[in-house]
């Protein structure tokens, strides 16, 4: 059994999280600039067995798809060409950034660290992945 990777794809950066090999626990890995994400994934996949990827689906409170979805769809197309053997899932990412900010604030990090967007992206990817895992168990 391989890992499941989650990508919180944003306008500038991608937060990335992964499960353990038993697909039980989600952990934040990295925040990568969009232009470098394919290089990061190639390296990561060469060093780790990954069975599936979960990519956040940006839906607003009214149920509308966010404008970043256009970029996400282009990324998914490129991803599937490069890694055709890895299944891609989409998962609603509503509230993950707010939840990430809250969890970071509760962690005792200083104000500068709490406001670091890269940390928020990585924690958001972790929340997306953990929620995906929990939904699978139902």
């Amino acid at each position: 059994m391989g890992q499941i990777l989650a990508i919180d794809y944003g306008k500038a950066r991608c937060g990335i999280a992964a499960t353990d090999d038993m697909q039980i626990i989600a952990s934040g890995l990295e925040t990568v600039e969009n232009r470098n994400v394919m290089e990061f994934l190639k390296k990561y996949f060469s060093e780790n067995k990954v069975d599936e990827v979960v990519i956040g689906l940006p839906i607003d409170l009214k149920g509308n798809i966010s404008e970043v979805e256009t970029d996400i769809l282009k990324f998914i197309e490129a991803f599937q060409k490069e890694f055709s053997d890895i299944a891609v899932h989409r998962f609603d990412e509503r509230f993950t950034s707010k939840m990430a900010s809250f969890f970071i604030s509760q962690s005792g990090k200083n104000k500068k660290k709490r406001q670091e967007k890269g940390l928020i992206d990585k924690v958001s990817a972790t929340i997306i992945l953990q929620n995906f895992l929990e939904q699978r168990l139902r």
Side-chain angles (χ1 to χ4, degrees):
M1 183 180 290
Q3 299 175 357
I4 302 172
L5 200 77
I7 301 172
D8 179 25
Y9 195 96
K11 291 181 182 178
R13 292 170 309 280
C14 293
I16 301 176
T19 65
D20 57 308
D21 290 336
M22 297 297 294
Q23 300 180 357
I24 298 170
I25 299 170
S27 300
L29 278 183
E30 193 72 54
T31 301
V32 181
E33 290 185 25
N34 290 356
R35 68 176 184 264
N36 299 327
V37 73
M38 290 301 271
E39 283 178 43
F40 174 87
L41 294 173
K42 285 177 191 176
K43 184 175 186 329
Y44 190 83
F45 294 161
S46 73
E47 298 169 356
N48 300 275
K49 182 173 175 6
V50 176
D51 292 338
E52 304 170 69
V53 170
V54 179
I55 300 173
L57 180 63
I59 302 171
D60 68 18
L61 295 175
K62 295 178 183 176
N64 300 316
I65 301 291
S66 170
E67 63 187 49
V68 75
E69 178 67 5
T70 304
D71 295 332
I72 294 171
L73 291 174
K74 289 177 189 172
F75 168 74
I76 290 172
E77 186 178 331
F79 179 91
Q80 290 178 319
K81 284 181 184 173
E82 186 71 37
F83 309 108
S84 59
D85 57 327
I86 298 176
V88 175
H89 307 281
R90 301 299 303 277
F91 197 82
D92 186 349
E93 64 177 52
R94 267 181 280 200
F95 304 114
T96 56
S97 291
K98 289 191 186 322
M99 289 170 55
S101 294
F102 173 77
F103 291 139
I104 292 166
S105 73
Q106 298 300 304
S107 72
K109 301 272 188 209
N110 65 37
K111 184 175 181 178
K112 185 177 179 183
K113 194 70 171 169
R114 287 193 314 257
Q115 293 174 336
E116 189 178 297
K117 291 184 190 288
L119 179 58
I120 292 171
D121 294 335
K122 182 169 59 173
V123 173
S124 293
T126 307
I127 293 168
I128 291 167
L129 185 52
Q130 192 64 48
N131 289 342
F132 177 80
L133 292 172
E134 289 170 8
Q135 184 182 37
R136 275 195 157 175
L137 293 174
R138 292 182 196 158

